């Protein structure tokens, strides 16, 4: 299982490096990273007839899927949680593993419901690689939950390591709080769009200083889960921590694009004082 954990970490970090590489090169960033309302079609990028490389990039960027395919991520997450829970009886494992498994299942289930309830009839699309990476990310997460905690699975409910009880009592409420806030932000953004029939500059109590607090909550979920899912004798579960790195990289790039889009739509003077994703910092 140690080799599987290494493979998962390598996937998360390689995917993060790919996103940063695309972000660093404007022709690639404009074609492949923007999606949804921030998507820029290749036609708007062309200032002159493209050369063969540009044509190849435009062709690659044109292979897209509907933006509402995001729902597939959460279907995969819930199905994977249930499969591994049944296969390995994770709810019967000792230690903190049942908490980690249940929280991952709850996160996937909540996001699945939200993807149905808060999805508008938008015709926006995203690059198909976004979709593939998202599926792989959520499938990998549900393996990362248990891959470093094999001893807990072997012990079952008969043994719980000494000194462990404090961790769920602190970290689980923190995770549930992050999930609650993320849900509230998703609901707020959906109502704002539906009521105004267009995108508006958010004015939620936390939005005046932060443009993407729902991203902040998502990253917090994985960071806290990596602490809760740490094997005995370790501070952090490095596989889940690698998932947190991917989440921070992916959402950080999206948050940067969101701020640029808000500045273009509403003016820099109304947006410049707001942080992208990290309160008071970035």
């Amino acid at each position: 299982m140690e080799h599987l954990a290494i493979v998962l970490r390598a996937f998360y970090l390689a995917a993060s490096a790919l996103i940063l590489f695309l972000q660093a090169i404007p022709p690639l960033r404009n074609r492949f990273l923007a999606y949804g309302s921030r998507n820029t079609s290749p036609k708007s990028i062309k200032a002159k007839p493209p050369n063969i490389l540009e044509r190849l990039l435009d062709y690659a960027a044109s292979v897209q899927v509907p933006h509402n395919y995001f729902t597939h991520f959460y279907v995969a997450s819930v199905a994977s949680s249930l499969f591994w829970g049944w296969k390995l009886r994770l709810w019967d494992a000792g230690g903190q593993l049942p908490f980690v498994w249940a929280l991952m299942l709850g996160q996937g289930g909540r996001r699945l419901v939200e993807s149905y309830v808060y999805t508008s009839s938008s015709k926006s699309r995203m690059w198909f690689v976004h979709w593939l990476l998202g599926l792989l990310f959520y499938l990998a997460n549900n393996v990362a939950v248990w891959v470093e905690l094999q001893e807990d699975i072997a012990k079952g409910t008969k043994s719980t390591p000494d000194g462990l009880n404090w961790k769920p009592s602190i970290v689980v409420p923190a995770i549930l709080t992050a999930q609650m806030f993320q849900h509230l932000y998703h609901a707020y953004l959906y109502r704002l769009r539906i009521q105004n029939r267009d995108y508006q500059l958010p004015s939620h109590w936390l939005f005046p200083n932060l443009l993407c607090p729902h991203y902040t909550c998502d990253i917090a979920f994985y960071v806290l889960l990596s602490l809760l899912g740490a094997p005995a004798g370790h501070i952090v579960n490095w596989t889940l921590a690698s998932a947190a790195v991917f989440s921070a990289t992916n959402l950080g790039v999206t948050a940067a694009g969101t701020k640029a889009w808000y500045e273009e739509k509403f003016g820099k003077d109304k947006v410049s004082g707001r942080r992208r994703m990290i309160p008071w910092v970035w």
Side-chain angles (χ1 to χ4, degrees), residues 96-254:
Q96 67 269 43
L97 183 53
F99 294 102
V100 181
W101 174 78
L103 288 165
M104 183 65 77
L105 176 60
Q107 172 84 345
R110 176 181 61 83
R111 294 296 290 120
L112 178 59
V113 172
E114 288 177 352
S115 69
Y116 278 108
V117 175
Y118 299 144
T119 298
S120 62
S121 57
S122 171
K123 296 181 179 179
S124 59
R125 302 177 71 81
M126 61 179 171
W127 190 33
F128 81 103
V129 176
H130 282 259
W131 177 68
L132 290 176
L133 274 180
L135 286 176
L136 290 173
F137 174 71
Y138 282 99
L139 291 172
N141 289 348
N142 284 279
V143 177
V145 160
W146 56 263
V147 72
E148 290 194 39
L149 296 172
Q150 286 295 293
E151 290 186 8
D152 282 359
I153 296 175
K155 291 174 182 176
T157 57
K158 297 179 180 180
S159 175
T160 299
D162 294 335
L164 181 67
N165 291 334
W166 66 268
K167 190 176 286 188
S169 65
I170 295 175
V171 179
V172 171
I175 290 175
L176 293 176
T177 299
Q179 291 181 317
M180 178 190 70
F181 278 125
Q182 188 181 48
H183 171 73
L184 292 175
Y185 300 145
H186 286 157
Y188 170 79
L189 289 172
Y190 175 74
R191 290 195 303 269
L192 186 68
R193 189 166 65 251
I194 293 300
Q195 291 169 0
N196 295 278
R197 297 185 180 181
D198 192 13
Y199 284 90
Q200 300 292 318
L201 193 62
S203 58
H204 193 274
W205 63 269
L206 189 56
F207 278 96
N209 180 258
L210 204 60
L211 288 172
C212 303
H214 45 316
Y215 294 169
T216 312
C217 293
D218 201 72
I219 297 165
F221 170 78
Y222 289 106
V223 170
L224 291 168
L225 204 68
S226 72
L227 295 175
L228 182 64
H234 295 76
I235 297 175
V236 68
N237 181 313
W238 288 110
T239 310
L240 286 171
S242 299
V245 169
F246 174 84
S247 179
T249 302
N250 182 47
L251 295 178
V253 166
T254 305

Side-chain angles (χ1 to χ4, degrees), residues 259 263 267-275:
K259 183 167 185 177
E263 288 176 343
K268 288 187 177 181
D269 56 322
K270 294 184 179 180
V271 182
S272 59
R274 303 193 188 193
R275 298 296 183 262

Side-chain angles (χ1 to χ4, degrees), residues 27 30-32 34-46 57-58 61-62 64 125:
N30 296 335
R31 287 175 169 88
F32 300 122
Y35 62 85
S37 60
R38 297 171 296 279
N39 192 23
T40 304
S41 67
K43 291 181 180 179
S44 65
I45 300 171
K46 302 172 186 174
L57 292 175
D58 285 348
S62 70
Q64 299 183 337
R125 302 177 71 81

